Amino acid sequence: MESLVETLMTRFPQTVLSVEADTARSEVTVHVAAERILDLTRFLHDAPDASFDHLTDICSVDYPEDRQRFEVVYHLHSLSHHRRLRVKTRLSEDDPTIASVTSVWKGAEFLEREVYDMMGIRFSGHPDLRRILLPEDYAEGYPLRKDFPAEGRGWRSQFEFIPRLDEPPVELADGEIPEPQKEAFRAEAPPDSRRREELLLNMGPQHPSTHGVLRVVLELDGERIVKATPDLGYLHRGVEKLCEGLAYMQVIPHTDRLDYVCAMANNYAYVRAVEKLLGITIPERAEYIRTIVAEMQRIVGHLFWLGTQASTSVR
């Protein structure tokens, strides 16, 4: 990794601002200038000595008191060289815009949409930059910014949408959902299509064929499904925002409920992050216990997937 860092500093002297190396954890973080992020990431992907072919995640951090308020973090993994690299860059609040890396890693499309949705950072050149977890018409801000209240804004403190039992039911008006909002779920009709009428239908989140809380918007041509679009944020619970106002022990019940099959994996990720931040070394016995439990639940997760797929295939 040292040779790679030296190559980056030599090849991109105006781009690489600083390098942090944590030898104890084998972690390397490169701080770069935002305006050259695309050149650097393309080199990290294409260069044989780097070969960071897997983009693990893109996230963002809010530092409200800093001049460059937002930090965008890219987590890279080289499958061939078995190593990881973290790339960080800063953006100002006045213009939180950075080039999209979807031309380097196709998988960045959804990751950048989430950062845009939660933090309000725009990715220039993104093929489909729109909200991914929150509704398309959400206009109350960006929830993971530190100045966004944990209890939410606007109508969430009133809950006027809950019907009263002494009131007559409200009839749904035709065209309640605007036509532009339906376009994302529609399939492109071939030129020779005979379709005359299309229907959008919700499947889930409670449905025997989804094997979990998943909402899928189906487009039907008669009885034939022509397109299926998963609604990723339909049951988004905002756990990250909720945890901003909780103490350590209050967070554990929430991470424990993120996955009803492999709860330990989520707990493990959270407590390891806290231990790293505080510099805590836990007893060896505790490390063994939680690793064993996490591995057992990982196996259970694979068996659960295999069992549900097998049961579906024999129906």
Side-chain angles (χ1 to χ4, degrees):
M1 186 64 80
E2 292 182 5
S3 60
L4 175 62
V5 171
E6 293 177 0
T7 301
L8 292 177
M9 297 180 69
T10 303
R11 190 180 183 92
F12 302 96
Q14 304 300 320
T15 302
V16 178
L17 305 178
S18 62
V19 178
E20 297 177 9
D22 186 344
T23 55
R25 297 186 176 87
S26 300
E27 295 182 358
V28 177
T29 302
V30 180
H31 298 262
V32 304
E35 57 271 13
R36 295 290 304 280
I37 188 67
L38 196 56
D39 295 335
L40 182 86
T41 53
R42 183 171 287 111
F43 173 81
L44 290 173
H45 179 273
D46 296 343
D49 293 339
S51 297
F52 287 96
D53 45 1
H54 182 237
L55 177 62
T56 305
D57 193 19
I58 303 176
C59 58
S60 181
V61 187
D62 185 10
Y63 298 95
E65 305 300 326
D66 293 358
R67 182 178 62 85
Q68 290 184 304
R69 175 176 176 177
F70 302 110
E71 183 176 68
V72 183
V73 186
Y74 301 82
H75 300 270
L76 311 181
H77 184 203
S78 174
L79 299 175
S80 57
H81 296 302
H82 307 289
R83 59 189 181 188
R84 298 179 184 272
L85 181 68
R86 185 182 298 114
V87 178
K88 293 184 177 182
T89 186
R90 286 293 192 101
L91 300 172
S92 66
E93 184 179 3
D94 297 335
D95 184 24
T97 303
I98 191 171
S100 171
V101 296
T102 52
S103 61
V104 181
W105 296 283
K106 181 62 177 177
E109 183 173 344
F110 277 17
L111 301 177
E112 290 179 347
R113 283 179 59 188
E114 181 179 0
V115 174
Y116 165 72
D117 194 5
M118 296 287 102
M119 197 70 78
I121 294 174
R122 296 182 293 272
F123 294 88
S124 60
H126 191 283
D128 185 26
L129 190 62
R130 54 189 174 90
R131 291 192 182 272
I132 189 172
L133 298 176
L134 296 173
E136 286 291 328
D137 57 353
Y138 187 84
E140 298 173 16
Y142 303 100
L144 287 188
R145 291 188 178 186
K146 295 301 182 183
D147 53 5
F148 190 95
E151 66 273 11
R153 289 175 175 161
W155 52 265
R156 283 166 180 77
S157 60
Q158 302 173 8
F159 293 100
E160 296 177 351
F161 60 90
I162 298 180
R164 292 177 54 181
L165 298 179
D166 58 347
E167 294 180 347
V170 179
E171 295 184 1
L172 296 178
D174 293 337
E176 183 179 3
I177 301 177
E179 289 298 320
Q181 292 188 20
K182 299 180 182 179
E183 292 301 321
F185 303 107
R186 286 186 169 138
E188 295 183 3
D192 58 345
S193 175
R194 299 180 180 179
R195 281 184 277 173
R196 295 291 182 268
E197 184 177 354
E198 297 173 343
L199 174 66
L200 293 180
L201 178 67
N202 288 319
M203 185 180 78
Q206 283 79 32
H207 191 280
S209 295
T210 59
H211 302 299
V213 284
L214 174 67
R215 178 199 180 216
V216 181
V217 181
L218 305 178
E219 183 179 357
L220 305 179
D221 178 12
E223 296 183 353
R224 185 170 64 93
I225 298 175
V226 296
K227 186 180 181 183
T229 306
D231 189 348
L232 301 182
Y234 189 72
L235 293 173
H236 183 242
R237 293 170 287 180
V239 174
E240 289 179 85
K241 191 65 183 182
L242 181 64
C243 293
E244 289 183 6
L246 301 178
Y248 170 77
M249 291 301 296
Q250 294 174 310
V251 175
I252 298 296
H254 293 282
T255 58
D256 194 69
R257 287 160 175 78
L258 290 176
D259 187 342
Y260 58 88
V261 177
C262 305
M264 178 58 74
N266 297 286
N267 294 334
Y268 197 24
Y270 170 69
V271 299
R272 283 293 298 271
V274 174
E275 291 162 6
K276 179 180 177 181
L277 288 171
L278 298 179
I280 297 174
T281 301
I282 68 168
E284 185 178 11
R285 180 173 180 270
E287 185 70 74
Y288 271 102
I289 291 174
R290 68 186 188 183
T291 301
I292 292 172
V293 175
E295 282 298 295
M296 291 175 62
Q297 292 193 347
R298 182 181 65 84
I299 295 172
V300 170
H302 285 286
L303 293 176
F304 186 84
W305 164 82
L306 181 61
T308 54
Q309 297 303 312
S311 65
T312 300
S313 62
V314 299
R315 287 178 182 175

